[in-house]
Amino acid sequence: MSPTDTAAAAPPAATAPPPGYLAVFRVREFRWVFGAHLLSLLGLVVSEIALTVLVYDLTRSPLLSSLTFAVGFVPYLLGGTLLAGVADRHPPRRVLVVCDLICAGAVGLMVLPATPVAGLLVLRCVVAVVAPVFQGTRMATLADILGDGDLFVLGRSLLRIVSQSALLAGFGVGGVLLTVVPARGAIALTAGTFLLSAVLLRLGTARRPARAAAAAREGLGATWSLLRDRRIRVLMLLFWVPPFFVVVPEALAAPYARELGASTAALGLLMCAMPVGTIAGELLAGAVLRPATRSRLVAPLLLVTFLPFLLYALRPGLALAALALGLSGAAGAYVLGLDAWFVAAVPEEQRGRAMTLMTAGMMTVQGLGMAGAGLVAEFVPVHHVVTGAGVLATVAVAALLAETRASGGRKVRQG
């Protein structure tokens, strides 16, 4: 039976692979999805760098160059709310392939010399609008491929680890690439990565029917209906609120390093600390802890995630600040248990919509958190801003955890 002709049946619980990341790679379809993720992520990171360089070369304007990053946040919110239903009302493989093709087409148009700067920014917005639909559909498809138990959680974790690793290596690779080829040439290469991702998804994933074809008639009403569910709403907020605060020290890393008179290399250490901690925490939790243990640790880890921020009250040196951010990143392993809670709470026919909305919200709040941190830091010393963010985040998370318990406990499927 070919995986491109019909969906593979999930293995029965009695014969499910043992827990661990290697078990996820034993699933053939996941290997194809993982390869496509690497390609599309590479395309996205390199295109962002190359587009920033291209816009600056054309305009010599730092403002317009920085807008190529900034314009990516608002479209995420629009795409995640207006297009969330697409993930459920069309066959998932078709949605994934079409999203990749749209991104390839938009990036391809950026290469044309006739495309004006305004057009480049519009095309950047197109990619950002499509991104939450693609990511939400892929997350829902992972649950189809891996089941909604522990393999799904570990598969999601692997994709996040790759994304975090891109923060460490991707921009460096893009910078090196731009020393070899011009900006338009680098952008052209990224169009190829999106096309290759589309090919892998088309050939390597199963043809599955739409989860809820009736969603075509529901539109935004179905999205708001999803959020009216108390359990889903509070879990969604647990995905949204921590990222709003967690970006604060990273957004203010440069001004903090300048306050301390640190070198550029030291700034790089500060910027890498949290991603390194996040990767280490996820790998440890995924490889060592059992699903039930990860579920029990969601609340404790959430509550301690922001406590290291309080060290900023002492205006620490870069080494201690980097340690604090690394510890905060490691506590982010709570998300493995939270993933299990979320997939257990959302009805299967609404899974694509819910995950698209969740992804869009996470990206949007990170942009808002960065902007808010910068605004407050105009009037308050940076170390006080980070300390205050730690206090507010801990209070907010504690309130959400209390609501989570009231909304239905922490029962998850063990798979």
Side-chain angles (χ1 to χ4, degrees):
M1 184 181 295
S2 170
T4 58
D5 293 331
T6 184
T15 60
Y21 287 114
L22 289 179
V24 181
F25 282 109
R26 294 190 186 103
V27 180
R28 181 178 182 274
E29 269 192 273
F30 176 79
R31 296 196 296 270
W32 289 81
V33 172
F34 186 80
H37 175 64
L38 288 175
L39 287 169
S40 62
L41 184 63
L42 176 64
L44 184 61
V45 171
V46 174
S47 66
E48 285 182 347
I49 302 169
L51 184 58
T52 300
V53 172
L54 177 60
V55 170
Y56 184 74
D57 287 344
L58 293 174
T59 65
R60 295 298 170 182
S61 168
L63 174 61
L64 289 176
S65 179
S66 65
L67 277 177
T68 61
F69 281 109
V71 297
F73 288 108
V74 173
Y76 249 92
L77 180 61
L78 294 176
T81 54
L82 298 179
L83 303 178
V86 170
D88 289 324
R89 67 175 177 254
H90 296 290
R93 185 176 67 180
R94 183 189 305 167
V95 173
L96 293 172
V97 171
V98 169
C99 285
D100 264 338
L101 293 177
I102 290 174
C103 290
V107 171
L109 290 174
M110 293 177 187
V111 179
L112 300 178
T115 304
V117 172
L120 293 174
L121 296 179
V122 169
L123 291 169
R124 172 74 178 93
C125 288
V126 170
V127 174
V129 167
V130 169
V133 179
F134 178 87
Q135 293 169 8
T137 305
R138 184 181 60 202
M139 286 169 59
T141 302
L142 276 185
D144 296 332
I145 294 172
L146 301 173
D148 55 5
D150 195 44
L151 286 188
F152 166 79
V153 172
L154 294 177
R156 277 270 292 142
S157 175
L158 280 170
L159 297 189
R160 272 195 306 271
I161 288 170
V162 170
S163 298
Q164 285 291 332
S165 300
L167 296 177
L168 299 174
F171 290 116
V173 171
V176 171
L177 180 63
L178 288 172
T179 66
V180 181
V181 298
R184 291 189 191 275
I187 293 174
L189 290 176
T190 66
T193 64
F194 284 119
L195 289 174
L196 285 174
S197 173
V199 170
L200 290 182
L201 292 170
R202 175 61 182 82
L203 297 179
T205 60
R207 182 177 61 196
R208 295 178 171 85
R211 291 180 185 81
R217 301 187 296 271
E218 294 173 350
L220 282 175
T223 300
W224 300 126
S225 174
L226 186 72
L227 292 176
R228 282 196 292 269
D229 183 292
R230 183 183 183 187
R231 176 72 173 169
I232 294 175
R233 183 174 63 249
V234 69
L235 292 179
M236 197 83 75
L237 288 171
L238 279 176
F239 277 107
W240 291 347
V241 171
F244 177 84
F245 293 101
V246 85
V247 298
V248 170
E250 291 182 305
L252 300 178
Y256 188 66
R258 281 198 300 270
E259 279 188 13
L260 299 177
S263 66
T264 303
L267 172 61
L269 171 66
L270 199 59
M271 293 293 291
C272 291
M274 189 172 289
V276 168
T278 301
I279 292 170
E282 284 221 27
L283 283 173
L284 181 64
V288 175
L289 302 180
R290 299 188 63 81
T293 305
R294 294 192 219 113
S295 181
R296 287 194 298 269
L297 286 177
V298 170
L301 287 176
L302 268 169
L303 288 172
V304 303
T305 293
F306 297 97
L307 294 183
F309 285 19
L310 302 185
L311 288 174
Y312 271 75
L314 305 176
R315 200 170 180 266
L318 281 176
L320 186 56
L323 176 61
L325 297 184
L327 291 173
S328 180
Y334 71 81
V335 77
L336 278 81
L338 190 59
D339 275 339
W341 293 5
F342 192 71
V343 75
V346 177
E348 183 178 356
E349 66 274 10
Q350 293 181 296
R351 196 171 280 163
R353 181 186 299 271
M355 293 183 175
T356 299
L357 185 61
M358 184 258 281
T359 300
M362 287 179 65
M363 288 300 298
T364 302
V365 298
Q366 288 180 69
L368 293 174
M370 291 178 184
L375 178 61
V376 176
E378 289 288 329
F379 308 97
V380 180
V382 170
H383 62 288
H384 290 326
V385 177
V386 177
T387 303
V391 173
L392 291 175
T394 302
V395 172
V397 164
L400 287 174
L401 288 172
E403 174 65 10
T404 302
R405 185 175 295 276
S407 70
R410 299 178 298 186
K411 183 182 294 184
V412 297
R413 301 184 185 100
Q414 306 297 328

